[in-house]
Structure formats: structure tokens, C-alpha cells
Amino acid sequence: DVVMTQSPLSLPVTLGQPASISCRSSQSLVHSDGNTYLNWFQQRPGQSPWRLINKVSNRESGVPDRFSGSGSGTDFTLKINRVEAEDVGVYYCMQTTHGPPTFGQGTRVEIK
Amino acid sequence: EVQLVESGGALVQPGGSLRLSCVASGFTFSDSWMTWVRQAPGKGLEWVANINQDGSQRYYVDSVRGRFTISRDNAKNSLCLQMNSLRAEDTAVYYCVIGGGYWWGQGTLVTVSS
């Protein structure tokens, strides 16, 4: 199975400052169809997860443009341009290129 | 509006069985892969199983293969997860999910304990 490793696991940030989360996979996530199936999810306290980003960098409808995804191969990053209070929660990367789909451990974002 | 409503979670003894259901609305269910993802208390997310549009392809995480069965009824827009031989480590909130995570239900709690 593909192992997804996130860092850091805890990220205290100041309101209005940027934040960055790294996600590394144990093997390339480039699918034979040429796409890279790397997603990012946000889970706010007490809520279900929701997908922010699909295929590395495509923001879902309704996701603020302060969120951006980048990367390729085995190294990926989620960036929050200017953190707001509503961004508190746990962020997960997930790959669906190789079966079975696997998640990172999660990164907890909190306000300093 | 897309909606996924799970039900069936309960307290069950080790070795017991439970059947989870998910009723979908607001999208074309019969065109969608469907997935179950679980989250143990205070832990991260774990993909459990998924099923293709007509039910001909089903995949499971190793830890549940042979014990859990995913199924769907496109006429009723419903997804099910039959869970047998339950273990303490199956304790989790189980989420019904569209495809690779497009939309998630609110989850249903399964507790396996004596």
C-alpha cells in the first residue's frame, strides 16, 4: 500500500499569516492515465471532512482561493495564504492513484 | 443539494454483525462510485471499501476483507455495508462518501464492545 506521510502533524499559526502542509507518498502518484490523484481534505472540529483540492491543485467549488495545492510525483503541498479562524481543524491528504486509497495521518491546524 | 444520510450504527458485542445504510439524493447515484471511510475515536481517516456504478467491482481494505460486504441498490439510491465478525478495532464513525471524496455524509457511530 502507498504510505502517505504528512508534516508537520501540528501547526500553530497566527491569524492572517500563511501556513503550509507537506504530504509525501512512498511511490509516485502519477497514474497510467497521466493524472495525479492527490486530494486534500479539511475536517473542522465535530464535522465531516470535505474535499478542498482534487488532482493536486484543483479547488472544489466553494473553497476560498486562499487555499492552494501544488506538487508532483511524490511531494505535495497545501498552502493557506492567510489563515482565518474558520480554517482551524485537521487536514488530510489522500491518494487514489493506487489501490487501496490511503490517507496521511492528518495535520492539526490551530490558532496561536 | 447533495445529501448522504447514514444509519445503522449501534453498540454491538465482539463477533456480532451490523448493517449500515446510506441513502443518497441530489446527484445521479447510479453514475457514481461509492465509498465507505471510517474514523476511529480521536484518530485519522481510513478507507474501508468502495463499489463501482453497477456493483460489479468491489474493493476492501485488508483488515475487513472477508468480514465486510459493500453493496448498492441503484433503484433506491442506497449504499450498504454489511459488517460481520466485528472486532473492537472496528469501532469508528463510518462515513458514506461519493467516489474519491467529493461529498461526505454525517457519519454513523459503530461501537464494538462487551
Side-chain angles (χ1 to χ4, degrees), chain A residues 3-53:
Chain A
V3 177
M4 305 296 289
T5 303
Q6 290 183 227
S7 63
L9 299 184
S10 178
L11 184 55
V13 295
T14 301
L15 287 173
Q17 292 301 303
S20 180
I21 300 170
S22 170
C23 176
R24 292 193 168 133
S25 57
S26 60
Q27 57 184 278
S28 173
L29 298 185
V30 179
H31 193 275
S32 56
D33 65 8
N35 290 309
T36 300
Y37 295 100
L38 186 283
N39 303 311
W40 288 97
F41 296 87
Q42 177 196 62
Q43 186 174 29
R44 291 173 172 150
Q47 295 187 13
S48 302
W50 71 299
R51 193 165 68 184
L52 299 174
I53 303 280

mmCIF file of all heavy atoms in Angstrom, chain A residues 3-53:
data_model
loop_
_atom_site.group_PDB
_atom_site.id
_atom_site.type_symbol
_atom_site.label_atom_id
_atom_site.label_comp_id
_atom_site.label_asym_id
_atom_site.label_seq_id
_atom_site.Cartn_x
_atom_site.Cartn_y
_atom_site.Cartn_z
ATOM 1 N N VAL A 3 2.131 4.596 1.307
ATOM 2 C CA VAL A 3 2.156 5.283 2.593
ATOM 3 C C VAL A 3 2.225 6.788 2.347
ATOM 4 O O VAL A 3 3.081 7.266 1.598
ATOM 5 C CB VAL A 3 3.353 4.827 3.435
ATOM 6 C CG1 VAL A 3 3.419 5.611 4.741
ATOM 7 C CG2 VAL A 3 3.272 3.333 3.711
ATOM 8 N N MET A 4 1.328 7.509 2.977
ATOM 9 C CA MET A 4 1.265 8.964 2.869
ATOM 10 C C MET A 4 1.762 9.559 4.183
ATOM 11 O O MET A 4 1.206 9.254 5.252
ATOM 12 C CB MET A 4 -0.166 9.418 2.582
ATOM 13 C CG MET A 4 -0.789 8.755 1.354
ATOM 14 S SD MET A 4 0.042 9.158 -0.163
ATOM 15 C CE MET A 4 -0.454 10.869 -0.346
ATOM 16 N N THR A 5 2.768 10.404 4.106
ATOM 17 C CA THR A 5 3.376 10.981 5.299
ATOM 18 C C THR A 5 3.227 12.489 5.285
ATOM 19 O O THR A 5 3.743 13.163 4.382
ATOM 20 C CB THR A 5 4.853 10.605 5.385
ATOM 21 O OG1 THR A 5 4.988 9.174 5.368
ATOM 22 C CG2 THR A 5 5.473 11.143 6.670
ATOM 23 N N GLN A 6 2.499 13.015 6.264
ATOM 24 C CA GLN A 6 2.291 14.464 6.353
ATOM 25 C C GLN A 6 3.228 15.080 7.377
ATOM 26 O O GLN A 6 3.607 14.448 8.358
ATOM 27 C CB GLN A 6 0.846 14.775 6.768
ATOM 28 C CG GLN A 6 -0.182 14.461 5.707
ATOM 29 C CD GLN A 6 -1.586 14.835 6.118
ATOM 30 O OE1 GLN A 6 -2.509 14.051 5.963
ATOM 31 N NE2 GLN A 6 -1.774 16.057 6.633
ATOM 32 N N SER A 7 3.561 16.330 7.152
ATOM 33 C CA SER A 7 4.317 17.107 8.137
ATOM 34 C C SER A 7 4.008 18.578 7.981
ATOM 35 O O SER A 7 3.751 19.051 6.863
ATOM 36 C CB SER A 7 5.820 16.852 7.985
ATOM 37 O OG SER A 7 6.263 17.287 6.711
ATOM 38 N N PRO A 8 3.968 19.330 9.100
ATOM 39 C CA PRO A 8 4.034 18.786 10.454
ATOM 40 C C PRO A 8 2.716 18.129 10.828
ATOM 41 O O PRO A 8 1.742 18.215 10.085
ATOM 42 C CB PRO A 8 4.293 20.047 11.283
ATOM 43 C CG PRO A 8 3.536 21.116 10.550
ATOM 44 C CD PRO A 8 3.722 20.793 9.089
ATOM 45 N N LEU A 9 2.671 17.489 11.986
ATOM 46 C CA LEU A 9 1.419 16.904 12.458
ATOM 47 C C LEU A 9 0.600 17.921 13.247
ATOM 48 O O LEU A 9 -0.613 17.760 13.397
ATOM 49 C CB LEU A 9 1.697 15.672 13.311
ATOM 50 C CG LEU A 9 2.425 14.532 12.580
ATOM 51 C CD1 LEU A 9 2.555 13.320 13.496
ATOM 52 C CD2 LEU A 9 1.721 14.157 11.283
ATOM 53 N N SER A 10 1.265 18.945 13.745
ATOM 54 C CA SER A 10 0.593 20.030 14.449
ATOM 55 C C SER A 10 1.161 21.348 13.936
ATOM 56 O O SER A 10 2.379 21.478 13.769
ATOM 57 C CB SER A 10 0.823 19.906 15.954
ATOM 58 O OG SER A 10 0.206 20.983 16.643
ATOM 59 N N LEU A 11 0.274 22.297 13.672
ATOM 60 C CA LEU A 11 0.715 23.547 13.059
ATOM 61 C C LEU A 11 0.003 24.733 13.716
ATOM 62 O O LEU A 11 -1.128 25.071 13.337
ATOM 63 C CB LEU A 11 0.421 23.518 11.556
ATOM 64 C CG LEU A 11 0.886 24.698 10.716
ATOM 65 C CD1 LEU A 11 2.375 24.940 10.877
ATOM 66 C CD2 LEU A 11 0.531 24.469 9.246
ATOM 67 N N PRO A 12 0.654 25.350 14.706
ATOM 68 C CA PRO A 12 0.079 26.566 15.285
ATOM 69 C C PRO A 12 0.380 27.752 14.367
ATOM 70 O O PRO A 12 1.531 27.924 13.969
ATOM 71 C CB PRO A 12 0.818 26.705 16.624
ATOM 72 C CG PRO A 12 1.724 25.500 16.726
ATOM 73 C CD PRO A 12 1.899 24.953 15.356
ATOM 74 N N VAL A 13 -0.627 28.515 14.034
ATOM 75 C CA VAL A 13 -0.423 29.645 13.126
ATOM 76 C C VAL A 13 -1.084 30.894 13.683
ATOM 77 O O VAL A 13 -2.054 30.825 14.439
ATOM 78 C CB VAL A 13 -0.970 29.342 11.717
ATOM 79 C CG1 VAL A 13 -0.194 28.229 11.065
ATOM 80 C CG2 VAL A 13 -2.452 29.018 11.776
ATOM 81 N N THR A 14 -0.544 32.029 13.272
ATOM 82 C CA THR A 14 -1.107 33.319 13.657
ATOM 83 C C THR A 14 -2.144 33.736 12.614
ATOM 84 O O THR A 14 -1.915 33.554 11.406
ATOM 85 C CB THR A 14 0.002 34.379 13.747
ATOM 86 O OG1 THR A 14 0.966 33.940 14.714
ATOM 87 C CG2 THR A 14 -0.561 35.725 14.152
ATOM 88 N N LEU A 15 -3.258 34.282 13.070
ATOM 89 C CA LEU A 15 -4.271 34.755 12.128
ATOM 90 C C LEU A 15 -3.660 35.721 11.123
ATOM 91 O O LEU A 15 -2.889 36.612 11.480
ATOM 92 C CB LEU A 15 -5.409 35.435 12.879
ATOM 93 C CG LEU A 15 -6.359 34.525 13.658
ATOM 94 C CD1 LEU A 15 -7.331 35.339 14.502
ATOM 95 C CD2 LEU A 15 -7.103 33.595 12.724
ATOM 96 N N GLY A 16 -4.006 35.499 9.856
ATOM 97 C CA GLY A 16 -3.504 36.367 8.802
ATOM 98 C C GLY A 16 -2.172 35.951 8.224
ATOM 99 O O GLY A 16 -1.741 36.506 7.202
ATOM 100 N N GLN A 17 -1.520 34.997 8.874
ATOM 101 C CA GLN A 17 -0.232 34.505 8.382
ATOM 102 C C GLN A 17 -0.418 33.271 7.502
ATOM 103 O O GLN A 17 -1.438 32.590 7.588
ATOM 104 C CB GLN A 17 0.693 34.169 9.550
ATOM 105 C CG GLN A 17 1.133 35.397 10.335
ATOM 106 C CD GLN A 17 1.867 36.399 9.468
ATOM 107 O OE1 GLN A 17 2.886 36.069 8.840
ATOM 108 N NE2 GLN A 17 1.347 37.622 9.410
ATOM 109 N N PRO A 18 0.578 32.966 6.654
ATOM 110 C CA PRO A 18 0.448 31.787 5.797
ATOM 111 C C PRO A 18 0.744 30.495 6.553
ATOM 112 O O PRO A 18 1.377 30.507 7.613
ATOM 113 C CB PRO A 18 1.519 32.037 4.719
ATOM 114 C CG PRO A 18 2.526 32.895 5.386
ATOM 115 C CD PRO A 18 1.769 33.764 6.369
ATOM 116 N N ALA A 19 0.263 29.402 5.993
ATOM 117 C CA ALA A 19 0.532 28.080 6.549
ATOM 118 C C ALA A 19 0.772 27.112 5.403
ATOM 119 O O ALA A 19 0.214 27.270 4.314
ATOM 120 C CB ALA A 19 -0.638 27.609 7.399
ATOM 121 N N SER A 20 1.603 26.112 5.670
ATOM 122 C CA SER A 20 1.956 25.155 4.635
ATOM 123 C C SER A 20 2.027 23.758 5.226
ATOM 124 O O SER A 20 2.612 23.562 6.296
ATOM 125 C CB SER A 20 3.305 25.547 4.013
ATOM 126 O OG SER A 20 3.678 24.641 3.016
ATOM 127 N N ILE A 21 1.426 22.797 4.541
ATOM 128 C CA ILE A 21 1.420 21.399 4.978
ATOM 129 C C ILE A 21 2.013 20.543 3.868
ATOM 130 O O ILE A 21 1.622 20.661 2.705
ATOM 131 C CB ILE A 21 -0.011 20.917 5.293
ATOM 132 C CG1 ILE A 21 -0.625 21.767 6.410
ATOM 133 C CG2 ILE A 21 -0.003 19.445 5.686
ATOM 134 C CD1 ILE A 21 -2.114 21.521 6.609
ATOM 135 N N SER A 22 2.931 19.678 4.245
ATOM 136 C CA SER A 22 3.586 18.801 3.287
ATOM 137 C C SER A 22 2.982 17.397 3.338
ATOM 138 O O SER A 22 2.585 16.911 4.397
ATOM 139 C CB SER A 22 5.077 18.727 3.607
ATOM 140 O OG SER A 22 5.700 17.718 2.846
ATOM 141 N N CYS A 23 2.924 16.766 2.196
ATOM 142 C CA CYS A 23 2.439 15.389 2.084
ATOM 143 C C CYS A 23 3.360 14.656 1.120
ATOM 144 O O CYS A 23 3.526 15.089 -0.026
ATOM 145 C CB CYS A 23 1.004 15.373 1.589
ATOM 146 S SG CYS A 23 0.309 13.735 1.283
ATOM 147 N N ARG A 24 3.949 13.573 1.585
ATOM 148 C CA ARG A 24 4.842 12.788 0.743
ATOM 149 C C ARG A 24 4.325 11.360 0.619
ATOM 150 O O ARG A 24 3.871 10.771 1.595
ATOM 151 C CB ARG A 24 6.251 12.794 1.313
ATOM 152 C CG ARG A 24 6.909 14.148 1.232
ATOM 153 C CD ARG A 24 8.391 14.110 1.500
ATOM 154 N NE ARG A 24 8.992 15.382 1.126
ATOM 155 C CZ ARG A 24 9.845 16.061 1.873
ATOM 156 N NH1 ARG A 24 10.164 15.605 3.059
ATOM 157 N NH2 ARG A 24 10.359 17.197 1.446
ATOM 158 N N SER A 25 4.415 10.813 -0.571
ATOM 159 C CA SER A 25 3.948 9.458 -0.818
ATOM 160 C C SER A 25 5.138 8.527 -0.996
ATOM 161 O O SER A 25 6.217 8.939 -1.426
ATOM 162 C CB SER A 25 3.058 9.409 -2.059
ATOM 163 O OG SER A 25 3.738 9.918 -3.194
ATOM 164 N N SER A 26 4.928 7.247 -0.679
ATOM 165 C CA SER A 26 6.008 6.261 -0.752
ATOM 166 C C SER A 26 6.307 5.829 -2.192
ATOM 167 O O SER A 26 7.307 5.149 -2.437
ATOM 168 C CB SER A 26 5.669 5.047 0.100
ATOM 169 O OG SER A 26 4.467 4.439 -0.347
ATOM 170 N N GLN A 27 5.444 6.211 -3.109
ATOM 171 C CA GLN A 27 5.719 5.975 -4.526
ATOM 172 C C GLN A 27 4.998 7.037 -5.346
ATOM 173 O O GLN A 27 4.102 7.718 -4.844
ATOM 174 C CB GLN A 27 5.296 4.573 -4.972
ATOM 175 C CG GLN A 27 3.850 4.228 -4.755
ATOM 176 C CD GLN A 27 3.552 2.782 -5.138
ATOM 177 O OE1 GLN A 27 3.358 2.459 -6.307
ATOM 178 N NE2 GLN A 27 3.519 1.901 -4.147
ATOM 179 N N SER A 28 5.432 7.182 -6.567
ATOM 180 C CA SER A 28 4.853 8.212 -7.422
ATOM 181 C C SER A 28 3.342 8.049 -7.546
ATOM 182 O O SER A 28 2.834 6.922 -7.659
ATOM 183 C CB SER A 28 5.475 8.152 -8.811
ATOM 184 O OG SER A 28 4.811 9.035 -9.691
ATOM 185 N N LEU A 29 2.644 9.182 -7.513
ATOM 186 C CA LEU A 29 1.191 9.160 -7.633
ATOM 187 C C LEU A 29 0.712 9.467 -9.043
ATOM 188 O O LEU A 29 -0.460 9.737 -9.256
ATOM 189 C CB LEU A 29 0.576 10.156 -6.632
ATOM 190 C CG LEU A 29 0.850 9.851 -5.161
ATOM 191 C CD1 LEU A 29 0.083 10.831 -4.268
ATOM 192 C CD2 LEU A 29 0.500 8.405 -4.814
ATOM 193 N N VAL A 30 1.618 9.426 -9.996
ATOM 194 C CA VAL A 30 1.214 9.625 -11.390
ATOM 195 C C VAL A 30 0.539 8.351 -11.895
ATOM 196 O O VAL A 30 1.145 7.279 -11.903
ATOM 197 C CB VAL A 30 2.415 9.983 -12.286
ATOM 198 C CG1 VAL A 30 1.940 10.163 -13.737
ATOM 199 C CG2 VAL A 30 3.105 11.233 -11.787
ATOM 200 N N HIS A 31 -0.706 8.471 -12.283
ATOM 201 C CA HIS A 31 -1.469 7.325 -12.767
ATOM 202 C C HIS A 31 -1.080 7.028 -14.219
ATOM 203 O O HIS A 31 -0.541 7.896 -14.916
ATOM 204 C CB HIS A 31 -2.963 7.664 -12.670
ATOM 205 C CG HIS A 31 -3.888 6.502 -12.841
ATOM 206 N ND1 HIS A 31 -4.298 6.062 -14.084
ATOM 207 C CD2 HIS A 31 -4.480 5.687 -11.938
ATOM 208 C CE1 HIS A 31 -5.104 5.035 -13.936
ATOM 209 N NE2 HIS A 31 -5.244 4.778 -12.642
ATOM 210 N N SER A 32 -1.382 5.827 -14.662
ATOM 211 C CA SER A 32 -1.095 5.450 -16.049
ATOM 212 C C SER A 32 -1.878 6.314 -17.049
ATOM 213 O O SER A 32 -1.488 6.404 -18.228
ATOM 214 C CB SER A 32 -1.423 3.974 -16.278
ATOM 215 O OG SER A 32 -2.762 3.699 -15.930
ATOM 216 N N ASP A 33 -2.958 6.967 -16.569
ATOM 217 C CA ASP A 33 -3.713 7.846 -17.477
ATOM 218 C C ASP A 33 -3.129 9.258 -17.524
ATOM 219 O O ASP A 33 -3.688 10.146 -18.166
ATOM 220 C CB ASP A 33 -5.194 7.897 -17.087
ATOM 221 C CG ASP A 33 -5.470 8.532 -15.737
ATOM 222 O OD1 ASP A 33 -4.520 9.091 -15.122
ATOM 223 O OD2 ASP A 33 -6.620 8.486 -15.267
ATOM 224 N N GLY A 34 -2.048 9.467 -16.801
ATOM 225 C CA GLY A 34 -1.351 10.761 -16.810
ATOM 226 C C GLY A 34 -1.772 11.697 -15.696
ATOM 227 O O GLY A 34 -1.104 12.697 -15.451
ATOM 228 N N ASN A 35 -2.872 11.404 -15.027
ATOM 229 C CA ASN A 35 -3.326 12.243 -13.925
ATOM 230 C C ASN A 35 -2.643 11.845 -12.615
ATOM 231 O O ASN A 35 -2.160 10.718 -12.468
ATOM 232 C CB ASN A 35 -4.838 12.130 -13.741
ATOM 233 C CG ASN A 35 -5.613 12.781 -14.854
ATOM 234 O OD1 ASN A 35 -5.379 13.939 -15.199
ATOM 235 N ND2 ASN A 35 -6.535 12.038 -15.455
ATOM 236 N N THR A 36 -2.629 12.773 -11.685
ATOM 237 C CA THR A 36 -2.113 12.525 -10.337
ATOM 238 C C THR A 36 -3.269 12.709 -9.365
ATOM 239 O O THR A 36 -3.756 13.829 -9.172
ATOM 240 C CB THR A 36 -0.964 13.483 -10.012
ATOM 241 O OG1 THR A 36 0.094 13.301 -10.957
ATOM 242 C CG2 THR A 36 -0.445 13.224 -8.604
ATOM 243 N N TYR A 37 -3.690 11.602 -8.756
ATOM 244 C CA TYR A 37 -4.904 11.627 -7.934
ATOM 245 C C TYR A 37 -4.547 11.847 -6.466
ATOM 246 O O TYR A 37 -4.567 10.930 -5.634
ATOM 247 C CB TYR A 37 -5.709 10.344 -8.151
ATOM 248 C CG TYR A 37 -6.236 10.239 -9.559
ATOM 249 C CD1 TYR A 37 -5.588 9.452 -10.509
ATOM 250 C CD2 TYR A 37 -7.362 10.960 -9.953
ATOM 251 C CE1 TYR A 37 -6.055 9.368 -11.817
ATOM 252 C CE2 TYR A 37 -7.842 10.880 -11.255
ATOM 253 C CZ TYR A 37 -7.184 10.089 -12.174
ATOM 254 O OH TYR A 37 -7.654 10.017 -13.474
ATOM 255 N N LEU A 38 -4.233 13.100 -6.170
ATOM 256 C CA LEU A 38 -3.887 13.516 -4.809
ATOM 257 C C LEU A 38 -4.905 14.561 -4.379
ATOM 258 O O LEU A 38 -5.073 15.586 -5.048
ATOM 259 C CB LEU A 38 -2.468 14.076 -4.770
ATOM 260 C CG LEU A 38 -1.826 14.455 -3.420
ATOM 261 C CD1 LEU A 38 -2.352 15.784 -2.876
ATOM 262 C CD2 LEU A 38 -2.008 13.358 -2.376
ATOM 263 N N ASN A 39 -5.614 14.271 -3.287
ATOM 264 C CA ASN A 39 -6.664 15.144 -2.770
ATOM 265 C C ASN A 39 -6.272 15.696 -1.401
ATOM 266 O O ASN A 39 -5.500 15.077 -0.668
ATOM 267 C CB ASN A 39 -7.971 14.363 -2.597
ATOM 268 C CG ASN A 39 -8.438 13.702 -3.868
ATOM 269 O OD1 ASN A 39 -8.497 14.314 -4.913
ATOM 270 N ND2 ASN A 39 -8.752 12.421 -3.770
ATOM 271 N N TRP A 40 -6.846 16.820 -1.076
ATOM 272 C CA TRP A 40 -6.725 17.400 0.257
ATOM 273 C C TRP A 40 -8.122 17.592 0.854
ATOM 274 O O TRP A 40 -9.037 18.066 0.168
ATOM 275 C CB TRP A 40 -6.022 18.750 0.206
ATOM 276 C CG TRP A 40 -4.565 18.691 -0.075
ATOM 277 C CD1 TRP A 40 -3.934 18.856 -1.277
ATOM 278 C CD2 TRP A 40 -3.516 18.449 0.887
ATOM 279 N NE1 TRP A 40 -2.573 18.734 -1.128
ATOM 280 C CE2 TRP A 40 -2.297 18.489 0.191
ATOM 281 C CE3 TRP A 40 -3.499 18.205 2.268
ATOM 282 C CZ2 TRP A 40 -1.057 18.301 0.826
ATOM 283 C CZ3 TRP A 40 -2.282 18.015 2.887
ATOM 284 C CH2 TRP A 40 -1.079 18.065 2.167
ATOM 285 N N PHE A 41 -8.224 17.239 2.145
ATOM 286 C CA PHE A 41 -9.482 17.372 2.858
ATOM 287 C C PHE A 41 -9.284 18.221 4.110
ATOM 288 O O PHE A 41 -8.219 18.188 4.725
ATOM 289 C CB PHE A 41 -10.009 15.998 3.291
ATOM 290 C CG PHE A 41 -10.356 15.101 2.146
ATOM 291 C CD1 PHE A 41 -9.385 14.296 1.578
ATOM 292 C CD2 PHE A 41 -11.635 15.055 1.634
ATOM 293 C CE1 PHE A 41 -9.682 13.459 0.507
ATOM 294 C CE2 PHE A 41 -11.956 14.232 0.566
ATOM 295 C CZ PHE A 41 -10.971 13.432 0.011
ATOM 296 N N GLN A 42 -10.332 18.911 4.470
ATOM 297 C CA GLN A 42 -10.373 19.647 5.732
ATOM 298 C C GLN A 42 -11.456 19.025 6.610
ATOM 299 O O GLN A 42 -12.553 18.725 6.128
ATOM 300 C CB GLN A 42 -10.734 21.110 5.474
ATOM 301 C CG GLN A 42 -10.867 21.956 6.734
ATOM 302 C CD GLN A 42 -11.589 23.277 6.461
ATOM 303 O OE1 GLN A 42 -12.756 23.311 6.063
ATOM 304 N NE2 GLN A 42 -10.882 24.382 6.649
ATOM 305 N N GLN A 43 -11.137 18.820 7.890
ATOM 306 C CA GLN A 43 -12.146 18.367 8.839
ATOM 307 C C GLN A 43 -12.171 19.338 10.013
ATOM 308 O O GLN A 43 -11.263 19.343 10.847
ATOM 309 C CB GLN A 43 -11.876 16.940 9.333
ATOM 310 C CG GLN A 43 -13.006 16.403 10.200
ATOM 311 C CD GLN A 43 -12.816 14.945 10.585
ATOM 312 O OE1 GLN A 43 -11.707 14.453 10.692
ATOM 313 N NE2 GLN A 43 -13.936 14.225 10.771
ATOM 314 N N ARG A 44 -13.196 20.166 10.046
ATOM 315 C CA ARG A 44 -13.364 21.080 11.162
ATOM 316 C C ARG A 44 -13.831 20.313 12.391
ATOM 317 O O ARG A 44 -14.426 19.231 12.261
ATOM 318 C CB ARG A 44 -14.372 22.172 10.811
ATOM 319 C CG ARG A 44 -13.879 23.137 9.753
ATOM 320 C CD ARG A 44 -14.971 24.076 9.325
ATOM 321 N NE ARG A 44 -14.465 25.127 8.445
ATOM 322 C CZ ARG A 44 -15.194 25.695 7.497
ATOM 323 N NH1 ARG A 44 -16.459 25.319 7.321
ATOM 324 N NH2 ARG A 44 -14.672 26.649 6.745
ATOM 325 N N PRO A 45 -13.590 20.850 13.588
ATOM 326 C CA PRO A 45 -13.995 20.142 14.817
ATOM 327 C C PRO A 45 -15.467 19.764 14.797
ATOM 328 O O PRO A 45 -16.341 20.603 14.525
ATOM 329 C CB PRO A 45 -13.691 21.173 15.905
ATOM 330 C CG PRO A 45 -12.598 22.020 15.340
ATOM 331 C CD PRO A 45 -12.878 22.105 13.879
ATOM 332 N N GLY A 46 -15.744 18.480 15.036
ATOM 333 C CA GLY A 46 -17.114 17.998 15.116
ATOM 334 C C GLY A 46 -17.827 17.850 13.793
ATOM 335 O O GLY A 46 -19.032 17.562 13.775
ATOM 336 N N GLN A 47 -17.113 18.027 12.681
ATOM 337 C CA GLN A 47 -17.759 17.944 11.371
ATOM 338 C C GLN A 47 -17.183 16.819 10.525
ATOM 339 O O GLN A 47 -16.128 16.267 10.836
ATOM 340 C CB GLN A 47 -17.604 19.274 10.630
ATOM 341 C CG GLN A 47 -18.307 20.435 11.286
ATOM 342 C CD GLN A 47 -18.278 21.687 10.442
ATOM 343 O OE1 GLN A 47 -17.942 21.662 9.245
ATOM 344 N NE2 GLN A 47 -18.644 22.813 11.040
ATOM 345 N N SER A 48 -17.897 16.492 9.469
ATOM 346 C CA SER A 48 -17.381 15.543 8.491
ATOM 347 C C SER A 48 -16.292 16.216 7.660
ATOM 348 O O SER A 48 -16.301 17.440 7.490
ATOM 349 C CB SER A 48 -18.503 15.071 7.564
ATOM 350 O OG SER A 48 -19.544 14.471 8.285
ATOM 351 N N PRO A 49 -15.396 15.430 7.107
ATOM 352 C CA PRO A 49 -14.411 16.018 6.194
ATOM 353 C C PRO A 49 -15.095 16.556 4.934
ATOM 354 O O PRO A 49 -16.189 16.110 4.569
ATOM 355 C CB PRO A 49 -13.501 14.831 5.840
ATOM 356 C CG PRO A 49 -13.726 13.833 6.931
ATOM 357 C CD PRO A 49 -15.163 14.001 7.335
ATOM 358 N N TRP A 50 -14.421 17.503 4.288
ATOM 359 C CA TRP A 50 -14.863 17.893 2.957
ATOM 360 C C TRP A 50 -13.639 18.152 2.098
ATOM 361 O O TRP A 50 -12.580 18.543 2.605
ATOM 362 C CB TRP A 50 -15.841 19.083 2.968
ATOM 363 C CG TRP A 50 -15.295 20.412 3.323
ATOM 364 C CD1 TRP A 50 -14.703 20.763 4.503
ATOM 365 C CD2 TRP A 50 -15.303 21.600 2.529
ATOM 366 N NE1 TRP A 50 -14.358 22.093 4.491
ATOM 367 C CE2 TRP A 50 -14.716 22.640 3.283
ATOM 368 C CE3 TRP A 50 -15.771 21.897 1.249
ATOM 369 C CZ2 TRP A 50 -14.593 23.947 2.810
ATOM 370 C CZ3 TRP A 50 -15.645 23.207 0.776
ATOM 371 C CH2 TRP A 50 -15.056 24.204 1.556
ATOM 372 N N ARG A 51 -13.792 17.888 0.811
ATOM 373 C CA ARG A 51 -12.644 17.956 -0.083
ATOM 374 C C ARG A 51 -12.389 19.400 -0.512
ATOM 375 O O ARG A 51 -13.285 20.081 -1.009
ATOM 376 C CB ARG A 51 -12.858 17.068 -1.313
ATOM 377 C CG ARG A 51 -11.580 16.857 -2.123
ATOM 378 C CD ARG A 51 -11.729 15.708 -3.104
ATOM 379 N NE ARG A 51 -12.670 15.997 -4.173
ATOM 380 C CZ ARG A 51 -13.014 15.107 -5.110
ATOM 381 N NH1 ARG A 51 -12.525 13.883 -5.065
ATOM 382 N NH2 ARG A 51 -13.873 15.442 -6.052
ATOM 383 N N LEU A 52 -11.150 19.812 -0.312
ATOM 384 C CA LEU A 52 -10.737 21.153 -0.717
ATOM 385 C C LEU A 52 -10.147 21.148 -2.125
ATOM 386 O O LEU A 52 -10.411 22.041 -2.929
ATOM 387 C CB LEU A 52 -9.657 21.677 0.236
ATOM 388 C CG LEU A 52 -9.993 21.828 1.704
ATOM 389 C CD1 LEU A 52 -8.732 22.206 2.480
ATOM 390 C CD2 LEU A 52 -11.080 22.875 1.899
ATOM 391 N N ILE A 53 -9.319 20.151 -2.366
ATOM 392 C CA ILE A 53 -8.494 20.111 -3.576
ATOM 393 C C ILE A 53 -8.558 18.704 -4.157
ATOM 394 O O ILE A 53 -8.470 17.716 -3.407
ATOM 395 C CB ILE A 53 -7.016 20.429 -3.240
ATOM 396 C CG1 ILE A 53 -6.858 21.785 -2.555
ATOM 397 C CG2 ILE A 53 -6.137 20.310 -4.491
ATOM 398 C CD1 ILE A 53 -6.879 22.978 -3.467
#
